[in-house]
Amino acid sequence: MRRVTLTQFLIEQQRKGLMGADLRLLIEVVARAVKAIAVNVSKGALAGVLGEAGSDNVQGEAQKKLDVIANDILIQANEWGGHLAAMASEEVEEIRPISGDYPKGAYLLLFDPLDGSSNIDVNISVGTIFSVLRCPEGVATPTEADFMQPGTAQVASGYSVYGPSTQLVLTVGDGVHGFTLDREMGSFIYTHPYMTIPEDTKEYAINGSNERFWEAPVQRYVRELRDGKEGPRGKDFNTRWVASMVADVHRILTRGGVFLYPLDSKMKDKGGKLRLMYEANPMAMIVEAAGGAATTGRERILDIQPTKLHQRVPVVLGSKNEVELVTRYHQEG
Ligand code: FBP
C-alpha cells in the first residue's frame, strides 16, 4: 500500500479546495510541535521530565513539568510559524498575540498542551488537543473577545495521543483522518482514513466515583447501563475510564462508545470539569465529523456562545443514539 504522509494528505486536501495553503502550513507547524512533545513524553524519567513543575496554572492546578514543556514547544513553534494572529493555552491565563518580531497570519489557535495530566507520571496515554479559528477581518491585535466564537466557527481541530504509538487525528471539515508517527522517518503516515463512530455502542466512559454528585438524569442513565440485560436497556454494557480525555475519545473514534463528564454538585459553580475552548469544542467537531454527537446533556456543544477563555462545560459525546438518550433524559428532567 502506498504510504501517504501528513504533508501529502494536506496538499491533496488543498488541491480539493478544502483548505488554503496557510491553514495547511499551520497544521504542519502544530504536527511538528506534536513530534517534539512526543520525544519528551517518551523519554520520561530518562530526561527527568516527570513530576511537578512547582507552579500552578490559571485553573489553580499544579503544573507537571511536561505541561510546561509541551506548552513552551507549542508556543515557540507557532509564534515563529507566521500563520497566527494570536494563540491561547490551557496553561496560560491571557491570550498571547503574536509579537511584532514575527509575521502574523489569519488564524487563532487554542490548545491543551498536555491532556490527561494525572496520568503523566504513571506512563498512561496523554495527549495534545488543538482548535483553529479565523481571526476576525481587520483585527491586527486580537483580544480575548476575538476568540469568543462558537465551536461551529472552527476551521480545523485535532488531537494527538502519546501512547504505545503516537497518533494524530484531525478534521478540516471533510471527515476525520488519523495518522501514525513513523519514528524512523520522523513523519506522520496516513493510517486511519475517514474514522467513523457507530450510532450504537455497548461501552461507556465516566468517572464512577462521582456518582453521588451527578444530576438525576445521569444517575438514571448510568444505573440503566449497569442493570444491563435485566434492566430497561435489555443489553449488557462494559465500562472504560482512562482519565485522559484524548485516550477515551480516541477509543470511541476507533470502536464507538459514549464519554461523559457531566455537571455534578462538586463543580456546579464552575460549570463543569472540562474546558469549552480547547477540550470540548475541538473534540465535539471531530466527533460530529465522524458521525457522532456532542452535547452538554442539554445543548449541542458546538452551538454554545463562549463568554470566557477558560470556561468549563459538561460533556456527553460519542455514539449518537446514546448521546441523544442522555440528552432526552435531561429534557424529561
Ligand atoms: P487536563 O489533564 O488537561 O487538566 O484534562 C482534564 C482531564 O485530565 C481529562 O483529560 C480527563 O477526561 C479528566 O480530566 C479526568 O478527570 P478525573 O481525574 O476526574 O477522572
Side-chain angles (χ1 to χ4, degrees):
M1 190 178 81
R2 180 174 149 249
R3 286 163 57 102
V4 175
T5 65
L6 174 67
T7 301
Q8 290 166 323
F9 169 83
L10 293 173
I11 290 171
E12 280 161 15
Q13 295 277 303
Q14 186 184 339
R15 287 179 182 152
K16 285 187 206 160
L18 290 164
M19 61 191 315
D22 49 356
L23 181 57
R24 171 172 64 79
L25 295 167
L26 169 57
I27 292 175
E28 297 219 48
V29 169
V30 172
R32 265 200 304 282
V34 161
K35 284 187 240 179
I37 296 169
V39 170
N40 283 276
V41 169
S42 62
K43 281 212 180 97
L46 298 174
V49 297
L50 299 183
E52 313 266 327
S55 50
D56 287 356
N57 67 15
V58 57
Q59 338 269 342
E61 294 157 344
Q63 289 180 308
K64 300 279 185 177
K65 288 181 187 166
L66 278 166
D67 281 324
V68 177
I69 292 167
N71 191 52
D72 292 347
I73 289 172
L74 280 157
I75 287 179
Q76 280 156 26
N78 285 287
E79 185 131 54
W80 177 88
H83 311 293
L84 295 180
M87 57 185 120
S89 165
E90 177 191 47
E91 300 301 329
V92 185
E93 175 134 21
E94 310 291 337
I95 67 145
R96 188 187 176 106
I98 300 301
S99 70
D101 310 341
Y102 300 105
K104 288 188 180 171
Y107 295 104
L108 304 174
L109 178 71
L110 302 107
F111 50 85
D112 176 354
L114 213 65
D115 175 63
S117 308
S118 65
N119 283 327
I120 292 172
D121 296 344
V122 291
N123 200 21
I124 292 175
S125 300
V126 292
T128 296
I129 309 174
F130 69 93
S131 167
V132 182
L133 297 166
R134 276 193 185 77
C135 180
E137 285 299 320
V139 173
T141 308
T143 64
E144 181 171 324
D146 298 306
F147 281 78
M148 299 297 105
Q149 304 177 37
T152 46
Q154 294 175 99
V155 292
S157 75
Y159 66 82
S160 60
V161 183
Y162 310 112
S165 66
T166 292
Q167 289 189 277
L168 177 68
V169 172
L170 57 88
T171 185
V172 291
D174 166 41
V176 175
H177 305 276
F179 303 81
T180 305
L181 181 60
D182 180 324
R183 293 184 193 283
E184 276 105 45
M185 273 178 72
S187 299
F188 278 107
I189 304 299
Y190 189 28
T191 48
H192 295 72
Y194 290 100
M195 301 176 84
T196 53
I197 300 174
E199 296 200 340
D200 291 304
T201 182
K202 285 186 169 184
E203 204 162 57
Y204 67 101
I206 192 167
N207 181 341
S209 68
N210 293 326
E211 177 163 6
R212 65 191 184 286
F213 305 116
W214 296 334
E215 295 180 304
V218 174
Q219 294 205 354
R220 173 189 174 188
Y221 175 71
V222 175
R223 187 175 58 250
E224 291 179 358
L225 297 178
R226 290 204 185 116
D227 292 348
K229 240 197 242 91
E230 289 74 37
R233 300 301 309 272
K235 65 176 182 178
D236 289 342
F237 289 81
N238 195 2
T239 189
R240 289 281 181 277
W241 182 250
V242 182
S244 288
M245 186 186 195
V246 282
D248 283 311
V249 171
H250 190 67
R251 185 187 59 249
I252 290 172
L253 263 282
T254 309
R255 68 181 190 210
V258 59
F259 169 96
L260 303 94
Y261 213 114
L263 191 64
D264 67 37
S265 55
K266 258 191 324 182
M267 54 183 73
K268 205 167 186 93
D269 58 343
K270 289 186 179 168
K273 161 95 178 196
L274 301 173
R275 280 51 64 132
L276 174 64
M277 300 304 287
Y278 40 78
E279 290 176 322
N281 266 342
M283 290 304 203
M285 182 184 186
I286 286 171
V287 164
E288 286 202 7
T295 77
T296 62
R298 291 182 170 84
E299 63 181 312
R300 183 184 179 222
I301 286 173
L302 294 178
D303 290 338
I304 297 172
Q305 175 52 49
T307 53
K308 291 196 300 301
L309 189 60
H310 301 288
Q311 72 184 84
R312 300 167 186 250
V313 291
V315 174
V316 181
L317 60 76
S319 293
K320 189 179 272 184
N321 293 339
E322 290 304 315
V323 175
E324 286 171 1
L325 183 61
V326 177
T327 309
R328 198 166 64 244
Y329 282 4
H330 280 80
Q331 281 147 7
E332 289 168 6

